[in-house]
């Protein structure tokens, strides 16, 4: 992790280093070797080992690091030190059993492993005879966990123009780190006791094609600023709660109270052993913090909740046409403060907190998307995709919790885009983009997503696509889904659910870009007669592996196309493949294509400039391009989109 600055001027915006010099090479798209990033004492460029958070960590004595684990009473945080560890903390009966958890048969070996996990060169891997120094590298690999910036505002030593910013990130070494954004130094780290054996595996570093995973999901925070002064002051009741999933590292979620950035405390954890969560798979689905109808505190105020998919079933790694899973099939809503189950929908039996939906057969690894359809500050709809290629819609109308949600909340399958063959085995691993708009004067919710198997990015046997599906029911449903017989009754005429699920055959194929040449009336007529559109990705094995984002009626969607090993057989170094950015008109499918770095690109990062401009930040290594008015160079994409005035909470805009 390194720090640069985005500087706006009359010519646009440019990423600069600590000396205000342009930091990105316009020709290569990488950080210049001569750049001095903000945490570096000299020119460090793109070097991994100096100038970043990992390099700063090496400058810290392992003995002075603040590392927590959840070994205290009721999982309270304690220092990650042998003096705090008792066998009962880890669910074993003897010291020998405790040592064995750390991969040792002796107390000395156990203490040595703990020291290594803290960052000491306890096994003298550099051969210099010194074991109380930092080991050669400490920071674990950050594969899927994007650093999250937490703004504490004008705390001591900071002000509103220079707020106290911290970074949260998880690594596959099993730690969650908090770094100071001003200096890149570690404030503290947390490692769950459930990952105790991971430290041994990481130390032994076996030669294998399988990574060893730890805390691999991007963190999420709930931030409450009671007096709205922009500063988190725990004494005034302000709060910051942080939530961490594990992705392939496990089937748990953890919550910490980080209201005081220097002194975190444990809130809760959930895993399949907790009542109501047996369906929980690998915790891939990044939680969404929101409020739902009816869930209130004793004073009648809405209480925050987390909503997330039930997780990933790694049996899907085997490939082949998607078949039913054994876990992760559904959605959970939990109390953000206590972790208590509020409500779920899974194929399991009905209960006070679970609604049974037997058609939920596939795991839900994707982040869910919440919609507040009536503007009351409560999410009354949830959209999510599953690994079987289905899109689901959950409706939560009215003020129904806690007693009658099972009668008054509903789920319906909105779309099914998996054709049931190898070539059509389309899976959804990403969140759904929902855009509220109008088409031909009719209010619709455009449901946008791309398909692609995130677990097998090099696969070439599936025809993946980008989709825009028109959801015509723009308010929450207040009745149950009509039966097939009822859909033939005139009383249910016009109920959009009678035409669901949407399939590929009901969507207009825009792959040849034909609609872009038609007039507005023809486009509206064509799309009104279809349930939306679909766009084939034409590269061999090309797939969408990230969520799309829509700005000003344009969809920004990234894809990855694996390297053709046969055509590159004489090349003596591995090639990653190619990343692309599609810019697609939401209404007629007209599009622009940009080439990105040879990496698996994530969702485009949107930057909201002080000059009112919206910009995209691009992956390092992206070449400069200027295509159809989209100017991308120096790591920044000028897309010609404004953050339109009045920049307030309420306005109305109609397009097309």
């Amino acid at each position: 992790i390194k720090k640069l600055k985005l500087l706006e001027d009359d010519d646009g915006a440019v990423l600069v280093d600590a000396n205000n010099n342009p930091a990105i090479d316009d020709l290569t798209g990488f950080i210049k070797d001569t750049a001095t990033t903000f945490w570096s004492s000299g020119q460090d460029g793109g070097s991994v080992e100096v100038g970043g958070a990992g390099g700063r960590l090496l400058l810290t004595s392992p003995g002075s690091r603040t590392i927590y684990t959840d070994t205290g009473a009721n999982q309270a945080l304690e220092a990650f030190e042998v003096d705090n560890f008792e066998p009962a903390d880890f669910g074993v009966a003897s010291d020998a059993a405790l040592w064995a958890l750390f991969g040792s048969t002796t107390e000395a070996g156990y203490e040595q492993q703990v020291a290594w996990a803290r960052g000491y060169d306890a096994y003298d891997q550099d051969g210099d005879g010194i074991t109380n120094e930092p080991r050669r590298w400490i920071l674990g690999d950050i594969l899927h966990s994007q650093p999250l910036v937490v703004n504490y505002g004008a705390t001591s030593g900071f002000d509103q123009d220079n707020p106290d910013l911290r970074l949260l990130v998880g690594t596959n070494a099993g730690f969650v780190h908090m770094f100071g954004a001003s200096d890149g130094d570690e404030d503290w780290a947390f490692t769950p006791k459930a990952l105790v054996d991971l430290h041994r595996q990481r130390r032994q570093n076996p030669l294998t094609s399988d990574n060893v995973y730890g805390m691999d999901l991007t963190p999420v925070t709930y931030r409450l600023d009671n007096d709205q002064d922009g500063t988190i002051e725990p004494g005034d009741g302000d709060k910051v709660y942080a939530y961490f999933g594990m992705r392939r590292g496990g089937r748990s979620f953890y919550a910490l109270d980080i209201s005081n950035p220097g002194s975190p405390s444990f809130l809760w954890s959930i895993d399949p052993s907790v009542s109501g969560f047996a369906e929980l798979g690998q915790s891939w689905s990044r939680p969404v913090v929101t409020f739902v109808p009816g869930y209130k505190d004793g004073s009648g105020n809405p209480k925050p909740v987390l909503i997330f998919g039930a997780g990933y079933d790694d049996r899907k790694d085997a490939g082949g046409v998607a078949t039913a899973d054994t876990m992760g099939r559904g959605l959970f809503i939990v109390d953000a403060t206590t972790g208590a189950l509020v409500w779920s929908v899974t194929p399991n039996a009905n209960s006070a907190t679970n609604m049974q939906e037997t058609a939920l057969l596939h795991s839900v690894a994707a982040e869910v998307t919440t919609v507040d359809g009536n503007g009351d500050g409560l999410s009354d709809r949830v959209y999510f995709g599953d690994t079987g290629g289905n899109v689901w819609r959950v409706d939560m109308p009215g003020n129904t919790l806690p007693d009658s949600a099972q009668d008054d909340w509903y789920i319906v399958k909105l779309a099914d885009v998996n054709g049931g063959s190898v070539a059509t085995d389309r899976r959804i691993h990403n969140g759904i983009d929902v855009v509220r708009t109008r088409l031909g004067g009719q209010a619709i919710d455009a449901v946008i997503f791309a398909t692609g198997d995130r677990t097998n990015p090099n696969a070439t046997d599936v025809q993946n696509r980008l989709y825009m599906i028109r959801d015509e029911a723009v308010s929450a449903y207040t009745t149950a889904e009509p039966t097939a017989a009822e859909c033939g009754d005139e009383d249910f005429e016009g109920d959009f659910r009678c035409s669901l699920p949407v399939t590929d055959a009901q969507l207009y194929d825009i792959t040849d870009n034909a609609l872009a040449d038609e007039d507005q009336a023809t486009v509206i007529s064509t799309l009104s007669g279809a349930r939306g559109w679909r766009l084939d990705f034409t590269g061999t094995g090309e797939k969408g592996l990230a969520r799309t984002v829509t700005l000003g009626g344009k969809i920004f969607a990234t894809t990855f196309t694996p390297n053709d090993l046969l055509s590159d057989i004489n090349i003596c170094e591995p090639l990653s493949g190619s990343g692309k950015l599609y810019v697609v008109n939401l209404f007629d499918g007209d599009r622009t294509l940009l080439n990105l770095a040879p990496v698996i690109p994530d969702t485009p990062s949107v930057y909201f400039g002080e000059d009112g401009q919206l910009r995209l930040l691009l992956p390092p290594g992206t070449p400069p391009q200027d295509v159809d008015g989209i100017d991308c160079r120096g790591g920044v994409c000028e897309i010609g989109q404004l953050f339109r005035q009045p920049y307030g909470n309420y306005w109305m805009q109609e397009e097309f």
Side-chain angles (χ1 to χ4, degrees):
I1 307 173
K2 294 199 173 194
K3 179 180 177 179
L4 297 173
K5 180 180 178 181
L6 196 64
L7 181 66
E8 301 171 28
D9 57 28
D10 293 339
D11 296 324
V14 61
L15 286 165
V16 298
D17 68 2
N19 299 316
N20 268 0
N21 295 320
I24 306 299
D25 188 309
D26 276 342
L27 295 180
T28 67
F30 289 107
I31 299 178
K32 294 179 178 179
D33 292 338
T34 57
T36 301
T37 62
F38 276 77
W39 300 332
S40 179
S41 58
Q43 294 180 351
D44 58 314
S47 174
V48 172
E49 297 189 356
V50 294
R56 299 292 306 176
L57 196 55
L58 293 177
L59 302 178
T60 303
S61 168
S64 65
R65 292 180 64 196
T66 301
I67 304 177
Y68 297 104
T69 190
D70 52 333
T71 50
N74 298 316
Q75 292 185 272
L77 298 186
E78 294 183 320
F80 185 80
E81 297 173 350
V82 294
D83 290 344
N84 291 323
F85 297 164
E86 299 293 337
D89 298 335
F90 295 87
V92 296
S94 67
D95 287 341
L98 173 61
W99 305 340
L101 289 180
F102 284 83
S104 179
T105 59
T106 66
E107 183 175 13
Y110 148 68
E111 293 179 349
Q112 190 177 23
Q113 176 60 74
V114 172
W116 184 91
R118 286 194 58 88
Y120 285 107
D121 184 21
Y123 296 85
D124 194 21
Q125 291 172 319
D126 60 5
D128 65 357
I130 303 173
T131 58
N132 63 350
E133 63 183 354
R135 49 188 164 90
R136 193 188 68 82
W137 191 253
I138 298 173
L139 187 66
D141 59 288
I142 303 169
L143 186 58
H144 298 107
S145 181
Q146 295 182 355
L148 175 71
V149 178
V150 184
N151 187 348
Y152 287 89
T155 60
S156 178
F158 297 88
D159 55 42
Q160 294 294 349
D161 294 328
N162 180 35
D164 182 1
L165 304 179
R166 310 291 177 106
L167 302 179
L168 283 175
V169 69
T171 79
N172 283 319
F175 291 93
V176 173
H177 300 266
M178 175 176 271
F179 297 107
S182 61
D183 55 18
D185 288 340
E186 181 187 65
D187 298 311
W188 50 263
F190 164 70
T191 181
K193 64 182 180 183
L195 290 179
V196 58
D197 188 53
L198 179 77
H199 305 300
R200 174 193 61 79
Q201 296 178 60
R202 299 292 293 198
R203 173 181 61 80
Q204 292 177 342
N205 197 23
L207 183 62
T208 173
S209 59
D210 295 325
N211 194 18
V212 178
Y213 294 89
M215 302 298 289
D216 196 30
L217 194 69
T218 298
V220 176
T221 57
Y222 165 64
R223 186 178 186 273
L224 175 64
D225 181 5
N226 271 314
D227 55 9
Q228 296 293 300
D229 66 350
T231 299
I232 297 299
E233 300 158 302
D236 294 340
D238 297 346
K239 298 179 176 66
V240 182
Y241 296 158
Y243 309 97
F244 311 99
M246 305 177 76
R247 216 169 182 274
R248 282 202 189 272
R251 298 171 63 186
S252 301
F253 283 97
Y254 292 87
L256 300 181
D257 183 343
I258 59 169
S259 304
N260 181 341
S263 181
S265 61
F266 191 85
L267 278 179
W268 52 262
S269 68
I270 54 174
D271 60 54
S273 70
V274 178
S275 177
F277 292 96
E279 185 66 32
L280 191 63
Q282 290 181 349
S283 48
W284 285 41
S285 180
R286 186 186 183 201
V288 173
V289 182
T290 187
F291 300 89
V292 295
Y295 196 62
K296 304 174 182 179
D297 61 20
S299 301
N301 299 313
K303 295 176 67 178
V305 298
L306 302 182
I307 306 181
F308 51 87
Y312 181 66
D313 186 343
D314 62 4
R315 65 182 301 279
K316 276 283 199 319
D317 290 351
V321 178
T323 56
D325 287 322
T326 61
M327 65 179 74
R329 304 162 297 176
L331 167 145
F332 288 107
I333 303 178
V334 304
D335 185 292
T337 302
T338 67
L341 179 61
V342 175
W343 190 75
S344 63
V345 53
T346 73
N348 301 309
N350 279 312
S351 70
T353 53
N354 183 69
M355 184 172 73
Q356 184 179 47
E357 173 53 69
T358 57
L360 277 167
L361 301 176
H362 301 276
S363 54
V364 181
E367 180 178 349
V368 307
T369 299
T370 59
V371 175
D372 174 10
N374 57 11
D376 65 353
L378 307 175
S379 294
D380 49 35
R381 268 183 288 159
V382 181
Y383 293 84
F384 63 90
D386 67 30
T387 56
N390 304 294
V391 178
W392 297 87
R393 167 176 164 158
V394 175
D395 289 85
M396 306 177 295
N399 199 25
T400 54
L401 273 172
D403 298 324
S404 59
Q406 308 299 50
D407 297 323
D408 298 331
W409 286 7
Y410 312 101
I411 184 170
V412 65
K413 185 189 291 188
L414 179 68
D416 179 357
V417 301
N418 190 313
S421 68
V422 172
T424 62
D425 184 44
R426 287 179 278 271
R427 306 183 184 188
I428 303 171
H429 280 257
N430 314 304
I432 306 294
D433 189 13
V434 179
V435 179
R436 316 204 73 188
T437 187
R438 288 181 178 270
L439 180 65
Q442 178 189 13
I444 66 167
D445 288 331
V447 178
I448 304 161
F449 61 95
T451 63
D453 186 351
R454 190 66 177 83
T455 69
N456 192 4
N458 287 327
T460 59
D461 53 357
V462 179
Q463 172 64 74
N464 285 292
R465 290 171 170 160
L466 176 68
Y467 289 89
M468 188 284 284
I469 294 174
R470 294 190 300 115
D471 188 348
E472 298 175 5
V474 296
S475 298
Y477 290 115
T478 57
T479 61
E481 180 182 1
T483 65
E486 289 172 334
C487 283
D489 191 306
E490 64 181 12
D491 291 340
F492 292 90
E493 184 177 353
D495 192 313
F496 186 63
R497 291 171 292 186
C498 287
S499 63
L500 300 180
V502 174
T503 64
D504 285 69
Q506 298 171 288
L507 302 171
Y508 188 81
D509 185 356
I510 65 166
T511 305
D512 64 2
N513 217 15
L515 273 180
D517 298 325
E518 301 291 343
D519 58 48
Q520 179 176 319
T522 301
V523 172
I524 292 174
S525 175
T526 300
L527 289 183
S528 296
R531 294 298 182 189
W533 53 252
R534 56 183 171 85
L535 167 66
D536 287 351
F537 296 137
T538 57
T540 301
E542 187 176 3
K543 53 187 66 70
L545 298 178
R547 186 172 184 156
T548 66
V549 63
T550 305
L551 302 168
K554 293 183 178 180
I555 302 166
F556 295 83
T558 59
T559 69
F560 174 74
T561 305
N563 176 49
D564 184 350
L565 295 177
L566 293 179
S567 65
D568 293 312
I569 196 168
N570 293 319
I571 295 179
C572 296
E573 60 183 41
L575 297 179
S576 303
S578 58
K580 296 178 183 177
L581 174 64
Y582 288 78
V583 185
V584 185
N585 187 295
L586 170 65
F587 302 101
D588 64 15
D590 191 21
R591 54 192 173 274
T592 298
L593 182 63
L594 295 96
N595 294 315
L596 301 180
V599 297
I600 296 178
D602 209 330
T603 301
S605 296
V606 183
Y607 176 79
F608 296 78
E610 293 184 358
D611 58 0
Q613 294 283 338
L614 299 181
R615 298 177 175 90
L616 300 183
L617 305 184
L618 302 179
T622 296
Q625 295 158 87
D626 191 348
V627 183
D628 294 339
I630 299 177
D631 185 2
C632 302
R633 67 189 65 194
V636 182
C637 224
E638 303 282 351
I639 59 176
Q641 294 290 327
L642 290 172
F643 186 43
R644 294 180 176 87
Q645 292 182 351
Y647 310 133
N649 292 322
Y650 306 100
W651 72 91
M652 184 274 187
Q653 177 181 323
E654 183 171 343
E655 291 189 13
F656 214 77

